[in-house]
Amino acid sequence: MDTIHTKASCRQASLAIRDTLDIVGGKWKLVLLMTLRNGKRRFRELSREAEISPRILSKELQELEQNGLVSRTVCDTRPVTVEYALTDYSETLDEVLDALAKWGAQHRRKIIL
Amino acid sequence: MDTIHTKASCRQASLAIRDTLDIVGGKWKLVLLMTLRNGKRRFRELSREAEISPRILSKELQELEQNGLVSRTVCDTRPVTVEYALTDYSETLDEVLDALAKWGAQHRRKIIL
């Protein structure tokens, strides 16, 4: 069934997309969330795996934490280590992450053929 | 069924997300695509509706056109007008747009309650 896109519904959906992009927009946040799907990571592991500089990574993680998408746990090790993990709430983004990953793979196949 | 997220699958999905963000990332492209879902628009209409400055709008539209997501038609009117519309290929992004809009609305309800 083709959805009817009225001016009002498109306007509302555009504003909702802006809201989402305010929270997880930019180059890194969605990549970080996908990387953390494989399990909790320490800061340096994340920086290496997602190929993000420590300075940018710490800002992105802080914002993800503030929005309840990532948890930060200080481990009583010597030296102290900090672990980052996905929160239950971040699972509400599964559909977004899967749709973005699916399209990216599809688009790459299209432009390579 | 819970999907198993291996390190390799997360790595691949992260790269695919980067590919998608290379094409439609940033603050405006997804908002423009959602606005155009209601039908073709002239440049000034788009600038007004999506609240984007003409300078940024023209760069975003150019990139969307280069990636086959938006078509540009010059109309033989006096003065000449240019119309922008979604291409068939842009429909492959429907799932992404719908998931982003759904999450934004959901998140807004969560933080307002």
Side-chain angles (χ1 to χ4, degrees):
Chain A
M1 190 207 77
D2 265 338
T3 327
I4 309 286
H5 300 296
T6 64
K7 192 165 183 178
S9 69
C10 285
R11 169 87 183 141
Q12 206 171 3
S14 301
L15 293 174
I17 287 177
R18 278 189 211 209
D19 284 345
T20 303
L21 295 178
D22 282 350
I23 307 292
V24 292
K27 223 176 129 176
W28 301 110
K29 290 192 174 82
L30 291 160
V31 170
L32 281 170
L33 292 172
M34 182 56 89
T35 304
L36 285 168
R37 264 192 175 173
N38 175 242
K40 59 189 176 194
R41 288 291 193 284
R42 289 184 192 161
F43 187 88
R44 273 212 208 110
E45 287 172 320
L46 259 181
S47 176
R48 203 174 46 239
E49 265 183 66
E51 295 158 20
I52 310 179
S53 76
R55 189 178 57 79
I56 293 174
L57 178 58
S58 102
K59 175 183 164 288
E60 299 292 315
L61 285 172
Q62 199 176 351
E63 289 169 6
L64 285 170
E65 201 189 339
Q66 278 162 1
N67 286 305
L69 295 168
V70 160
S71 66
R72 177 178 182 275
T73 310
V74 179
C75 307
D76 183 10
T77 50
R78 293 179 197 283
V80 168
T81 49
V82 179
E83 280 181 347
Y84 296 88
L86 293 180
T87 60
D88 291 342
Y89 182 58
S90 75
E91 286 173 22
T92 58
L93 277 164
D94 280 354
E95 228 179 292
V96 169
L97 289 170
D98 294 339
L100 287 165
K102 192 175 132 194
W103 194 82
Q106 205 176 284
H107 185 70
R108 178 170 282 269
R109 282 193 300 271
K110 176 182 178 270
I111 50 177
I112 286 172
L113 294 181
Chain B
M1 189 207 79
D2 265 336
T3 327
I4 310 285
H5 299 298
T6 63
K7 193 167 182 175
S9 71
C10 286
R11 169 87 184 141
Q12 207 172 1
S14 301
L15 294 173
I17 288 176
R18 278 187 211 214
D19 283 347
T20 303
L21 296 178
D22 283 348
I23 307 291
V24 290
K27 222 176 130 176
W28 301 111
K29 290 193 175 78
L30 290 161
V31 170
L32 280 170
L33 291 172
M34 182 55 89
T35 304
L36 285 168
R37 263 192 175 174
N38 174 242
K40 60 188 174 193
R41 288 292 193 282
R42 290 185 192 159
F43 187 87
R44 271 211 209 113
E45 288 173 321
L46 258 180
S47 177
R48 201 175 48 238
E49 265 182 67
E51 295 159 20
I52 311 180
S53 76
R55 190 178 57 79
I56 293 174
L57 179 58
S58 101
K59 174 184 165 289
E60 300 291 316
L61 284 172
Q62 200 176 349
E63 289 169 6
L64 285 169
E65 201 189 338
Q66 278 163 2
N67 285 305
L69 295 168
V70 159
S71 66
R72 178 178 182 274
T73 309
V74 178
C75 307
D76 184 10
T77 50
R78 293 179 199 281
V80 169
T81 48
V82 179
E83 281 181 347
Y84 295 90
L86 293 181
T87 60
D88 291 344
Y89 182 59
S90 75
E91 287 174 22
T92 57
L93 276 164
D94 280 355
E95 227 178 292
V96 169
L97 289 171
D98 294 340
L100 287 164
K102 193 174 132 195
W103 195 82
Q106 204 177 283
H107 185 70
R108 179 171 280 269
R109 280 194 299 273
K110 176 181 177 275
I111 49 176
I112 285 172
L113 295 183

